[in-house]
Amino acid sequence: MPSRAGESVPVGVLWIRRGTERKKLRTMTNTTSRLKPSAAALLLCALLVSLTGCDERAPQTPRLRWYVFAEPSGAFAEAAGRCSAAAQGRYQVELAPLPTDADQQREQLVRRLAAADPDIDIIGMDVIWTAEFAAAGWVLPWSGAAARRARAGRLASAIESASYRQTLWAAPFTTNTQLLWYRTDRIATPPATWDEMIDMAEALGESGTIQAQGARYEGLTVFFVSLLASAGGSVLTSDTRSVSLADPSTRQALGVMRRLATSPAADPALANAREDQARLAFETGTSSFMVNYTYVWPSARANAPAVAQHMGWARWPAVTAGRQSRVSIGGINLGVSSHSRYPALAFEAAACIAAEPGQRLAATRGGLPPTIATLYDDAQIRRTFPFADLLRATLRDAVQRPQTPLYADVSLAISHTLHPMRDLDPDEDGARLRAAVQRALQSEGLL
Amino acid sequence: MNGRTAAEQRLAWLLCAPAVLAMLAVTVYPMLYALWLSLFRYDLRFPDQRQFTGLDNYLSVLTSPVWWQALANTLLITVASVSLELLLGFCFALVMHRTLVGRRTVRTALLVPYGIITVVAALSWRFAFDPTTGFVNGLLGLEGAWLAERGTAFVVIILTEIWKTTPFMALLLLAGLTLVPGDLLRAARVDGAGALQRFFRITLPLMRPVIMVALLFRTLDAFRIFDTVFVQTRGAQDTGTVSLVSYNTLITRLNLGLGSAVSVLIFLCVLLLAALYIKGFGIDLSRREES
């Protein structure tokens, strides 16, 4: 590994990286020579030795740092390793693991990006950061042949999630969306709408519980955006500059939230439930419905085989009968930092990781759905995702969360206003929500 | 003599200088910088739009219900946890003071929670009170989701705080207890004073300075509560504290101007609390050291 060679001659590495450091070191030796000639001579010797040592080893393979959430299966590391090997010494991709929580990933990244940290080359960008990172000038746009290749064969919604103002800012890599999971031993045909599902769950009594995400965090925003889009509405107007949240769709979405939260079929801990709490609760077997991401399937098979045996999947419930649901899209796209020392190589490496072999690895090993549409027909992928067709159909109709540079503010405004769901008043809270999102868009006041 | 004192004073200042410089660099500079930033409209995402706005940020914070709600929550947590900690801490201190057998074991056992990292403590309390994975509901025969309701969420947060920092209080109070002269207590006993009388008439008045210092430390500490709330509710159910507001504004929204204004206001609150203790209750930190 070249990094190990670098560790043995730290000064040399510094000199390769930043030309300015070299000047600094020279002036340092100048001042010391005035103080104590013998010590200065010693220091100079040491520096010269390390300099020649470094010159022997140069040129070093550029080390590209890929900042991405710590993927537990090792699929990302393997994809990065494959691309590094294929590059035959032109670059070496090294993973810089981030927390698994998207909010915390962003916190760590934005502080580095705002400080122009050159250590970041490739960024595993959550779909909701595209507009923010692009507007702040933290990532480089994809253009020409690279953009064409990054778009080729990818699902339209995944490409849209990596775009902002008609420009592609990242290579679509993995994607994700929620499905409805239900107990086939208790329900014959899965419900088509939320109302139908709540009726079914209430009729089932004790075991009818519905698991959803009701805690005050990003997941609540996801839930609301999915409901709103399913009802035909959107948070922002199409130019993403002002608030939409028109009625009756907003009122319908809030109505479903309130009905769910006040129903005896809701989990008592709904107001504190995230994806994982919902998954764990479903795995205990006392719930009959759950809206959640695809990772719950391998998890249930491993942790609760008895539950997995009766676990069915269906399209996320609609809000109004006859209108297919539209669910928020998630996933990770690969962006190139504006402060990267090797932007051309970073683009190449990102494109390589996001190509078919990388997506296949991420899907089969890590359980992350691919963005290449034809992969859903692949036998190996279909073994990992037995619900591949449903997943692709859901992804084709998926909705983007508001694509604004102020997304973090907008999301806080939504989740803070709509929490807890049981206290919502569908007739009045639409206006409150509009005001809160408006304030967030102006980046004003506390949230 | 005078010349010597002056020389000694100079030496004292010289010896202090490195520490003073370090303090200037790591505390005074960031504080002044925050004060400066709080006068700007400045978002890290849009550095070009930086603009001097005077006291607008303060106005915006002070007219926001979010700030006042957070302040009320913070004060509630502070008052509830510190007062209960004082009571419990006193009990623990007396136990530690009076134990004859296994003194070291008792003291160590009581200090364990203080040695646990706050985030870990907060997480274990969250899991304990979780309706699916926790044991508390099973133990009490209840079914509620503690952290999903405002009242019970506060109970969990305050209990976590108490569990975590009572040992600190107890340790300070124990130090105070050892300062009470045994002769005095024995003399009172000879004069016929009961245990309660001795405690309230002799022990407590003699410990007053120690108690006040312990209260001051804990109050300032409790006012800045962040980790416990962040881990357990993230400020949901209206349990947000002022530190959480500052975190949301600075770290999540990258709004340096507004966030710095919140931080400066928190600093002023802490300053006010400290002044209240020192002037209002007459704590003299320097005299205590001399005695």
PDB file of all heavy atoms in Angstrom, chain A residues 362-385:
ATOM      1  N   ALA A 362     -22.891  -3.735  -4.615  1.00  0.00           N
ATOM      2  CA  ALA A 362     -23.647  -3.021  -3.586  1.00  0.00           C
ATOM      3  C   ALA A 362     -25.009  -3.665  -3.379  1.00  0.00           C
ATOM      4  O   ALA A 362     -25.531  -3.705  -2.264  1.00  0.00           O
ATOM      5  CB  ALA A 362     -23.802  -1.554  -3.972  1.00  0.00           C
ATOM      6  N   ALA A 363     -25.595  -4.191  -4.466  1.00  0.00           N
ATOM      7  CA  ALA A 363     -26.923  -4.797  -4.367  1.00  0.00           C
ATOM      8  C   ALA A 363     -26.858  -6.169  -3.713  1.00  0.00           C
ATOM      9  O   ALA A 363     -27.566  -6.437  -2.743  1.00  0.00           O
ATOM     10  CB  ALA A 363     -27.549  -4.903  -5.751  1.00  0.00           C
ATOM     11  N   THR A 364     -25.987  -7.046  -4.230  1.00  0.00           N
ATOM     12  CA  THR A 364     -25.996  -8.416  -3.736  1.00  0.00           C
ATOM     13  C   THR A 364     -25.355  -8.533  -2.361  1.00  0.00           C
ATOM     14  O   THR A 364     -25.814  -9.291  -1.520  1.00  0.00           O
ATOM     15  CB  THR A 364     -25.277  -9.359  -4.718  1.00  0.00           C
ATOM     16  OG1 THR A 364     -23.999  -8.788  -5.023  1.00  0.00           O
ATOM     17  CG2 THR A 364     -26.058  -9.507  -6.006  1.00  0.00           C
ATOM     18  N   ARG A 365     -24.292  -7.765  -2.135  1.00  0.00           N
ATOM     19  CA  ARG A 365     -23.625  -7.862  -0.833  1.00  0.00           C
ATOM     20  C   ARG A 365     -24.238  -6.922   0.189  1.00  0.00           C
ATOM     21  O   ARG A 365     -24.453  -7.281   1.335  1.00  0.00           O
ATOM     22  CB  ARG A 365     -22.135  -7.530  -0.982  1.00  0.00           C
ATOM     23  CG  ARG A 365     -21.326  -8.577  -1.700  1.00  0.00           C
ATOM     24  CD  ARG A 365     -20.652  -9.549  -0.716  1.00  0.00           C
ATOM     25  NE  ARG A 365     -19.742  -8.888   0.188  1.00  0.00           N
ATOM     26  CZ  ARG A 365     -18.476  -8.610  -0.087  1.00  0.00           C
ATOM     27  NH1 ARG A 365     -17.976  -8.965  -1.248  1.00  0.00           N
ATOM     28  NH2 ARG A 365     -17.724  -8.004   0.787  1.00  0.00           N
ATOM     29  N   GLY A 366     -24.488  -5.676  -0.239  1.00  0.00           N
ATOM     30  CA  GLY A 366     -24.948  -4.676   0.723  1.00  0.00           C
ATOM     31  C   GLY A 366     -26.455  -4.500   0.766  1.00  0.00           C
ATOM     32  O   GLY A 366     -26.971  -3.778   1.606  1.00  0.00           O
ATOM     33  N   GLY A 367     -27.177  -5.118  -0.166  1.00  0.00           N
ATOM     34  CA  GLY A 367     -28.627  -4.986  -0.181  1.00  0.00           C
ATOM     35  C   GLY A 367     -29.114  -3.613  -0.610  1.00  0.00           C
ATOM     36  O   GLY A 367     -30.221  -3.203  -0.268  1.00  0.00           O
ATOM     37  N   LEU A 368     -28.275  -2.877  -1.356  1.00  0.00           N
ATOM     38  CA  LEU A 368     -28.669  -1.536  -1.791  1.00  0.00           C
ATOM     39  C   LEU A 368     -29.155  -1.607  -3.242  1.00  0.00           C
ATOM     40  O   LEU A 368     -28.391  -1.946  -4.140  1.00  0.00           O
ATOM     41  CB  LEU A 368     -27.471  -0.578  -1.681  1.00  0.00           C
ATOM     42  CG  LEU A 368     -26.904  -0.442  -0.268  1.00  0.00           C
ATOM     43  CD1 LEU A 368     -25.538   0.210  -0.287  1.00  0.00           C
ATOM     44  CD2 LEU A 368     -27.858   0.361   0.608  1.00  0.00           C
ATOM     45  N   PRO A 369     -30.423  -1.268  -3.499  1.00  0.00           N
ATOM     46  CA  PRO A 369     -30.975  -1.403  -4.851  1.00  0.00           C
ATOM     47  C   PRO A 369     -30.185  -0.591  -5.879  1.00  0.00           C
ATOM     48  O   PRO A 369     -29.769   0.533  -5.606  1.00  0.00           O
ATOM     49  CB  PRO A 369     -32.397  -0.861  -4.702  1.00  0.00           C
ATOM     50  CG  PRO A 369     -32.723  -1.038  -3.276  1.00  0.00           C
ATOM     51  CD  PRO A 369     -31.437  -0.843  -2.535  1.00  0.00           C
ATOM     52  N   PRO A 370     -29.963  -1.152  -7.073  1.00  0.00           N
ATOM     53  CA  PRO A 370     -29.178  -0.469  -8.105  1.00  0.00           C
ATOM     54  C   PRO A 370     -29.979   0.620  -8.817  1.00  0.00           C
ATOM     55  O   PRO A 370     -31.207   0.634  -8.757  1.00  0.00           O
ATOM     56  CB  PRO A 370     -28.821  -1.591  -9.075  1.00  0.00           C
ATOM     57  CG  PRO A 370     -29.874  -2.622  -8.878  1.00  0.00           C
ATOM     58  CD  PRO A 370     -30.341  -2.514  -7.463  1.00  0.00           C
ATOM     59  N   THR A 371     -29.268   1.511  -9.510  1.00  0.00           N
ATOM     60  CA  THR A 371     -29.935   2.553 -10.293  1.00  0.00           C
ATOM     61  C   THR A 371     -29.986   2.177 -11.770  1.00  0.00           C
ATOM     62  O   THR A 371     -30.646   2.835 -12.550  1.00  0.00           O
ATOM     63  CB  THR A 371     -29.203   3.901 -10.149  1.00  0.00           C
ATOM     64  OG1 THR A 371     -27.811   3.690 -10.368  1.00  0.00           O
ATOM     65  CG2 THR A 371     -29.402   4.486  -8.771  1.00  0.00           C
ATOM     66  N   ILE A 372     -29.239   1.121 -12.173  1.00  0.00           N
ATOM     67  CA  ILE A 372     -29.294   0.663 -13.561  1.00  0.00           C
ATOM     68  C   ILE A 372     -30.559  -0.175 -13.729  1.00  0.00           C
ATOM     69  O   ILE A 372     -30.722  -1.210 -13.075  1.00  0.00           O
ATOM     70  CB  ILE A 372     -28.045  -0.170 -13.916  1.00  0.00           C
ATOM     71  CG1 ILE A 372     -26.792   0.705 -13.783  1.00  0.00           C
ATOM     72  CG2 ILE A 372     -28.157  -0.751 -15.318  1.00  0.00           C
ATOM     73  CD1 ILE A 372     -25.493  -0.030 -13.991  1.00  0.00           C
ATOM     74  N   ALA A 373     -31.453   0.284 -14.608  1.00  0.00           N
ATOM     75  CA  ALA A 373     -32.786  -0.317 -14.705  1.00  0.00           C
ATOM     76  C   ALA A 373     -32.729  -1.790 -15.077  1.00  0.00           C
ATOM     77  O   ALA A 373     -33.452  -2.611 -14.506  1.00  0.00           O
ATOM     78  CB  ALA A 373     -33.624   0.467 -15.715  1.00  0.00           C
ATOM     79  N   THR A 374     -31.834  -2.166 -16.010  1.00  0.00           N
ATOM     80  CA  THR A 374     -31.837  -3.550 -16.496  1.00  0.00           C
ATOM     81  C   THR A 374     -31.330  -4.540 -15.443  1.00  0.00           C
ATOM     82  O   THR A 374     -31.586  -5.729 -15.553  1.00  0.00           O
ATOM     83  CB  THR A 374     -30.964  -3.692 -17.753  1.00  0.00           C
ATOM     84  OG1 THR A 374     -29.699  -3.059 -17.483  1.00  0.00           O
ATOM     85  CG2 THR A 374     -31.609  -3.031 -18.955  1.00  0.00           C
ATOM     86  N   LEU A 375     -30.619  -4.049 -14.433  1.00  0.00           N
ATOM     87  CA  LEU A 375     -30.129  -4.954 -13.399  1.00  0.00           C
ATOM     88  C   LEU A 375     -31.285  -5.631 -12.655  1.00  0.00           C
ATOM     89  O   LEU A 375     -31.106  -6.687 -12.059  1.00  0.00           O
ATOM     90  CB  LEU A 375     -29.237  -4.196 -12.404  1.00  0.00           C
ATOM     91  CG  LEU A 375     -27.746  -4.148 -12.730  1.00  0.00           C
ATOM     92  CD1 LEU A 375     -26.993  -3.344 -11.684  1.00  0.00           C
ATOM     93  CD2 LEU A 375     -27.171  -5.556 -12.789  1.00  0.00           C
ATOM     94  N   TYR A 376     -32.462  -4.998 -12.699  1.00  0.00           N
ATOM     95  CA  TYR A 376     -33.611  -5.573 -12.000  1.00  0.00           C
ATOM     96  C   TYR A 376     -34.106  -6.846 -12.694  1.00  0.00           C
ATOM     97  O   TYR A 376     -34.936  -7.563 -12.158  1.00  0.00           O
ATOM     98  CB  TYR A 376     -34.738  -4.550 -11.868  1.00  0.00           C
ATOM     99  CG  TYR A 376     -34.416  -3.471 -10.857  1.00  0.00           C
ATOM    100  CD1 TYR A 376     -33.637  -2.380 -11.204  1.00  0.00           C
ATOM    101  CD2 TYR A 376     -34.864  -3.576  -9.540  1.00  0.00           C
ATOM    102  CE1 TYR A 376     -33.310  -1.406 -10.279  1.00  0.00           C
ATOM    103  CE2 TYR A 376     -34.544  -2.606  -8.606  1.00  0.00           C
ATOM    104  CZ  TYR A 376     -33.762  -1.525  -8.977  1.00  0.00           C
ATOM    105  OH  TYR A 376     -33.441  -0.568  -8.044  1.00  0.00           O
ATOM    106  N   ASP A 377     -33.625  -7.110 -13.930  1.00  0.00           N
ATOM    107  CA  ASP A 377     -33.994  -8.337 -14.631  1.00  0.00           C
ATOM    108  C   ASP A 377     -32.958  -9.428 -14.411  1.00  0.00           C
ATOM    109  O   ASP A 377     -33.156 -10.563 -14.835  1.00  0.00           O
ATOM    110  CB  ASP A 377     -34.124  -8.064 -16.138  1.00  0.00           C
ATOM    111  CG  ASP A 377     -35.232  -7.057 -16.423  1.00  0.00           C
ATOM    112  OD1 ASP A 377     -36.285  -7.151 -15.749  1.00  0.00           O
ATOM    113  OD2 ASP A 377     -35.032  -6.171 -17.273  1.00  0.00           O
ATOM    114  N   ASP A 378     -31.867  -9.072 -13.763  1.00  0.00           N
ATOM    115  CA  ASP A 378     -30.770 -10.002 -13.560  1.00  0.00           C
ATOM    116  C   ASP A 378     -31.139 -11.056 -12.510  1.00  0.00           C
ATOM    117  O   ASP A 378     -31.688 -10.725 -11.455  1.00  0.00           O
ATOM    118  CB  ASP A 378     -29.553  -9.186 -13.096  1.00  0.00           C
ATOM    119  CG  ASP A 378     -28.342 -10.048 -12.882  1.00  0.00           C
ATOM    120  OD1 ASP A 378     -28.194 -10.580 -11.756  1.00  0.00           O
ATOM    121  OD2 ASP A 378     -27.560 -10.173 -13.826  1.00  0.00           O
ATOM    122  N   ALA A 379     -30.839 -12.326 -12.800  1.00  0.00           N
ATOM    123  CA  ALA A 379     -31.253 -13.416 -11.906  1.00  0.00           C
ATOM    124  C   ALA A 379     -30.662 -13.264 -10.508  1.00  0.00           C
ATOM    125  O   ALA A 379     -31.342 -13.452  -9.500  1.00  0.00           O
ATOM    126  CB  ALA A 379     -30.831 -14.751 -12.510  1.00  0.00           C
ATOM    127  N   GLN A 380     -29.371 -12.890 -10.463  1.00  0.00           N
ATOM    128  CA  GLN A 380     -28.694 -12.755  -9.176  1.00  0.00           C
ATOM    129  C   GLN A 380     -29.346 -11.651  -8.338  1.00  0.00           C
ATOM    130  O   GLN A 380     -29.575 -11.795  -7.135  1.00  0.00           O
ATOM    131  CB  GLN A 380     -27.229 -12.432  -9.461  1.00  0.00           C
ATOM    132  CG  GLN A 380     -26.314 -12.595  -8.277  1.00  0.00           C
ATOM    133  CD  GLN A 380     -24.926 -12.057  -8.587  1.00  0.00           C
ATOM    134  OE1 GLN A 380     -24.711 -11.416  -9.623  1.00  0.00           O
ATOM    135  NE2 GLN A 380     -23.990 -12.313  -7.711  1.00  0.00           N
ATOM    136  N   ILE A 381     -29.634 -10.522  -9.006  1.00  0.00           N
ATOM    137  CA  ILE A 381     -30.263  -9.400  -8.309  1.00  0.00           C
ATOM    138  C   ILE A 381     -31.671  -9.783  -7.852  1.00  0.00           C
ATOM    139  O   ILE A 381     -32.103  -9.436  -6.751  1.00  0.00           O
ATOM    140  CB  ILE A 381     -30.334  -8.166  -9.243  1.00  0.00           C
ATOM    141  CG1 ILE A 381     -28.945  -7.759  -9.714  1.00  0.00           C
ATOM    142  CG2 ILE A 381     -31.080  -7.017  -8.594  1.00  0.00           C
ATOM    143  CD1 ILE A 381     -28.141  -6.952  -8.745  1.00  0.00           C
ATOM    144  N   ARG A 382     -32.376 -10.541  -8.672  1.00  0.00           N
ATOM    145  CA  ARG A 382     -33.750 -10.916  -8.320  1.00  0.00           C
ATOM    146  C   ARG A 382     -33.777 -11.889  -7.137  1.00  0.00           C
ATOM    147  O   ARG A 382     -34.777 -11.975  -6.430  1.00  0.00           O
ATOM    148  CB  ARG A 382     -34.474 -11.515  -9.523  1.00  0.00           C
ATOM    149  CG  ARG A 382     -34.731 -10.481 -10.614  1.00  0.00           C
ATOM    150  CD  ARG A 382     -35.394 -11.108 -11.808  1.00  0.00           C
ATOM    151  NE  ARG A 382     -36.832 -11.267 -11.628  1.00  0.00           N
ATOM    152  CZ  ARG A 382     -37.717 -10.325 -11.898  1.00  0.00           C
ATOM    153  NH1 ARG A 382     -37.317  -9.152 -12.356  1.00  0.00           N
ATOM    154  NH2 ARG A 382     -38.998 -10.529 -11.726  1.00  0.00           N
ATOM    155  N   ARG A 383     -32.664 -12.613  -6.948  1.00  0.00           N
ATOM    156  CA  ARG A 383     -32.589 -13.468  -5.761  1.00  0.00           C
ATOM    157  C   ARG A 383     -32.455 -12.603  -4.504  1.00  0.00           C
ATOM    158  O   ARG A 383     -33.038 -12.886  -3.474  1.00  0.00           O
ATOM    159  CB  ARG A 383     -31.403 -14.424  -5.866  1.00  0.00           C
ATOM    160  CG  ARG A 383     -31.791 -15.801  -6.381  1.00  0.00           C
ATOM    161  CD  ARG A 383     -30.733 -16.843  -6.045  1.00  0.00           C
ATOM    162  NE  ARG A 383     -29.419 -16.518  -6.556  1.00  0.00           N
ATOM    163  CZ  ARG A 383     -29.039 -16.675  -7.825  1.00  0.00           C
ATOM    164  NH1 ARG A 383     -29.904 -17.143  -8.706  1.00  0.00           N
ATOM    165  NH2 ARG A 383     -27.826 -16.373  -8.217  1.00  0.00           N
ATOM    166  N   THR A 384     -31.653 -11.519  -4.611  1.00  0.00           N
ATOM    167  CA  THR A 384     -31.502 -10.613  -3.476  1.00  0.00           C
ATOM    168  C   THR A 384     -32.797  -9.859  -3.210  1.00  0.00           C
ATOM    169  O   THR A 384     -33.194  -9.645  -2.080  1.00  0.00           O
ATOM    170  CB  THR A 384     -30.387  -9.589  -3.755  1.00  0.00           C
ATOM    171  OG1 THR A 384     -29.279 -10.263  -4.299  1.00  0.00           O
ATOM    172  CG2 THR A 384     -29.986  -8.852  -2.502  1.00  0.00           C
ATOM    173  N   PHE A 385     -33.415  -9.382  -4.301  1.00  0.00           N
ATOM    174  CA  PHE A 385     -34.660  -8.620  -4.176  1.00  0.00           C
ATOM    175  C   PHE A 385     -35.777  -9.394  -4.876  1.00  0.00           C
ATOM    176  O   PHE A 385     -36.061  -9.146  -6.046  1.00  0.00           O
ATOM    177  CB  PHE A 385     -34.529  -7.249  -4.836  1.00  0.00           C
ATOM    178  CG  PHE A 385     -33.367  -6.436  -4.343  1.00  0.00           C
ATOM    179  CD1 PHE A 385     -32.274  -6.199  -5.160  1.00  0.00           C
ATOM    180  CD2 PHE A 385     -33.370  -5.878  -3.073  1.00  0.00           C
ATOM    181  CE1 PHE A 385     -31.199  -5.437  -4.723  1.00  0.00           C
ATOM    182  CE2 PHE A 385     -32.299  -5.117  -2.627  1.00  0.00           C
ATOM    183  CZ  PHE A 385     -31.209  -4.899  -3.450  1.00  0.00           C
TER     184      PHE A 385
END
